[in-house]
Amino acid sequence: MFKFLKNINEKRNAKLLEEAKNKLGTDEKIIFHVDGIIDTAIGNNATITNALLIATDYRIFVYAKHMLGSQEEYESFYYNNINSLSYLKESILALKFFPYKIAITTSNSTFVFRSGRNEKEMQEMARYANDKIIEATENEKIFFNFIFYFYLNL
């Protein structure tokens, strides 16, 4: 029975990944992707939705499609707009089936993605994303220093 459910889940995630690839820029590459869940709200009802968290060379984005109907959830976080990204393994009994968590904090909000497996992939994705966040921050500093220097020397 569990093997049957696992096969259905893997097929659904493969289809989600193919649909998510349509959201990529022409020169954008997927580096990591993991399946898990996100909390969403439809009207006044809070629901849990299966989703993919995808790290590319430019951004992290989440892609989900609700089981009923074809409503998409899609949110994008460019590395230079992320204030922090953390990976946690929670041991709370209520989260037993989804203990691995990536939290992305921007200036406006915090986004949480959970997975019940893929611990190694989530750790590697978090490391990669944090390196890209640092790189984007350093590039921004270099750019602003260049503009400031240029402005002073006019």
Side-chain angles (χ1 to χ4, degrees), residues 46-86:
T47 62
I48 294 175
T49 303
N50 289 318
L52 292 179
L53 186 66
I54 299 170
T56 74
D57 39 356
Y58 296 111
R59 62 190 165 138
I60 290 183
F61 71 95
V62 63
Y63 183 74
K65 207 167 198 177
H66 295 278
M67 287 194 171
L68 302 174
S70 60
Q71 183 178 358
E72 288 182 332
E73 292 278 333
Y74 174 77
E75 190 149 359
S76 189
F77 305 94
Y78 287 88
Y79 294 116
N80 63 328
N81 295 330
I82 298 173
N83 294 347
S84 69
L85 183 142
S86 59

Side-chain angles (χ1 to χ4, degrees), residues 37 90 92-100 114-117:
I37 60 168
E90 298 181 320
I92 300 170
L93 185 59
L95 301 173
K96 181 179 178 180
F97 296 109
F98 298 98
Y100 312 117
R114 295 184 180 280
S115 182
R117 45 195 188 143

Side-chain angles (χ1 to χ4, degrees), residues 40-47:
T40 60
I42 301 175
N44 292 329
N45 300 324
T47 62

